[in-house]
């Protein structure tokens, strides 16, 4: 019998749905993580590791290639050396997942029934979806197809789905049409996460992402940044906003005290999301 990785078993055990699509998404995320960790792998090795057929392995790899994450040559799949990897939803989904859940839970203190809320396409903000039923009724506005699917049918959540040009690598809509839709709205709060923070500035690799999230930022009364500890002292090409433009910055308890002290010295409201037994 083929054995799967313990990582794969853990993730599959957490799935709340037995649908083929859900299993497929989880498997592709595990494949992406494996190849990124190894740098390159033979497709036959993927069949052994994940207990799938060669045809399924090729199909999964081809989808990840189409997202710009991998290159496939003569049965070898290699992680692409590009910033698109770090931006992609497949890559981000499994990074710092525990910290993201804690940050998302802490963010819920800023959600009140009756609010209209912008949720961006980040995997950190996505974690807030599980907590929304405790704060309904709310109006959720998002460009994330992943979040749309998580919220559709949720009782007392009015879902406003932002359309526009679809970007496969992040499973979200962005661009001019999306921005025009955002500018026609006024929300009570926007929850935003970005890929890098350096010298008091929040940044991202993708200009389309910056422009779309900036529109949400500008059309909200309150702006809240969700940032785990790995975002600090990282660099990306495109500037989004200064940290002190946000009303609240929520970090996890692994964030270095120097970063927290620096933000608080600039009168930024910093909230530290803590797990059980976390530091005060």
């Amino acid at each position: 019998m083929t054995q799967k990785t313990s990582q794969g078993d853990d993730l599959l055990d957490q799935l709340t749905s037995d649908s083929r699509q859900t299993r497929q998404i989880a498997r592709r995320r595990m494949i992406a993580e494996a190849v990124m960790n190894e740098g390159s792998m033979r497709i036959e090795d993927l069949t052994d590791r994940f207990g799938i057929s060669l045809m399924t392995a090729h199909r999964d790899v081809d989808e990840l290639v189409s997202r710009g994450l991998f290159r496939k040559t003569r049965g070898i799949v290699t992680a692409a050396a590009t910033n698109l990897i770090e931006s992609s939803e497949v890559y981000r989904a499994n990074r710092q997942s525990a910290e993201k859940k804690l940050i998302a839970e802490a963010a819920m203190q800023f959600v009140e029934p009756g609010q209209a809320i912008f949720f961006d396409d980040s995997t950190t903000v996505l974690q807030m979806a599980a907590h929304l039923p405790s704060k309904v009724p709310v109006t959720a506005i998002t460009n994330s197809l992943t979040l749309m699917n998580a919220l559709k049918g949720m009782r007392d959540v009015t879902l406003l789905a932002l359309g526009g040009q679809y970007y496969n690598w992040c499973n979200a809509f962005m661009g001019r049409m999306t921005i025009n839709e955002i500018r026609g709205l006024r929300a009570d709060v926007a929850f935003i996460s970005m890929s890098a923070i350096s010298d008091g500035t929040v940044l991202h690799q993708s200009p389309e992402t910056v422009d779309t999230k900036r529109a949400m930022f500008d059309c909200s009364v309150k702006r809240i940044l969700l940032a785990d500890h790995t975002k600090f002292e990282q660099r990306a090409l495109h500037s989004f906003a200064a940290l002190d433009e946000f009303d609240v910055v929520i970090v996890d308890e692994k964030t270095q005290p120097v970063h927290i002290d620096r933000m608080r010295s600039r009168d930024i409201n910093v909230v530290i999301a803590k797990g059980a037994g976390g530091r005060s």
Side-chain angles (χ1 to χ4, degrees), residues 43-61:
I43 293 180
E44 287 83 356
D45 293 338
L46 294 175
T47 66
D48 293 337
R49 180 174 295 196
F50 297 103
I52 55 178
S53 68
L54 186 60
M55 181 179 296
T56 297
H58 275 285
R59 189 163 51 241
D60 288 345
V61 167

Side-chain angles (χ1 to χ4, degrees), residues 89-110:
E89 183 195 44
V90 173
Y91 177 81
R92 292 178 289 131
N94 293 326
R95 306 290 290 181
Q96 281 71 51
S97 60
E99 290 89 346
K100 289 175 181 179
K101 289 176 182 178
L102 290 172
I103 290 171
E105 186 174 359
M108 292 305 300
Q109 66 187 279
F110 300 101

